[in-house]
Amino acid sequence: MLMQTMTRESWTDERLDDLNDKVDRGFVRVDHRFDRVEGEIRELRMETKTRFEVTEAHYEAVDVRFDAMDTRFQSLESRFESLEDRFAALNRILITSVWGLVITLIATKAIPF
């Protein structure tokens, strides 16, 4: 088995400066990528915030409509209660009238003329 021997190259100032420049360029690229990603995240947050505000406004409008419907239903409920009272009064009048007719018929049959 052959082992490859590694040779050590000398690190000159020029080579270290090149490596330093290469590392700096790499960090600049990474910084640009992070800036782009942060910008996209900011845009996404703004878009999400805007959509939530629109959705919230829509549901508030729906809530107002439901409140109006609830008020109208309460009004209808009170009108139905009024109708129930009127029908109960009409029912009492009819029952009283029928009893009056029955009594009148009985009285007219009981008294011969």
Side-chain angles (χ1 to χ4, degrees), residues 57-104:
H58 173 74
Y59 282 116
E60 285 175 0
V62 168
D63 194 37
V64 167
R65 284 190 226 142
F66 278 126
D67 288 344
M69 285 176 49
D70 190 40
T71 302
R72 292 181 75 183
F73 279 128
Q74 287 174 355
S75 171
L76 283 173
E77 186 176 330
S78 67
R79 290 174 72 186
F80 280 126
E81 288 172 358
S82 172
L83 281 174
E84 286 176 3
D85 293 342
R86 292 172 70 184
F87 279 123
L90 181 61
N91 194 22
R92 284 190 299 274
I93 291 170
L94 285 173
I95 289 173
T96 304
S97 299
V98 167
W99 278 109
L101 281 172
V102 168
I103 292 172
T104 303

Side-chain angles (χ1 to χ4, degrees), residues 14-53:
E14 185 177 304
R15 287 193 67 220
L16 287 174
D17 289 341
D18 288 342
L19 179 61
N20 192 24
D21 288 340
K22 185 177 180 181
V23 170
D24 286 344
R25 284 193 306 269
F27 277 118
V28 167
R29 282 196 313 266
V30 170
D31 285 343
H32 287 307
R33 282 179 156 174
F34 276 121
D35 289 344
R36 191 186 82 236
V37 169
E38 285 176 345
E40 289 173 0
I41 289 172
R42 251 184 255 109
E43 288 176 19
L44 183 61
R45 282 183 179 168
M46 291 302 293
E47 183 179 337
T48 303
K49 181 181 176 186
T50 302
R51 286 184 179 187
F52 276 125
E53 288 171 351

Side-chain angles (χ1 to χ4, degrees), residues 1-9:
M1 190 186 303
L2 282 175
M3 284 188 80
Q4 187 177 16
T5 58
M6 296 180 66
T7 60
R8 180 181 275 213
E9 296 180 24

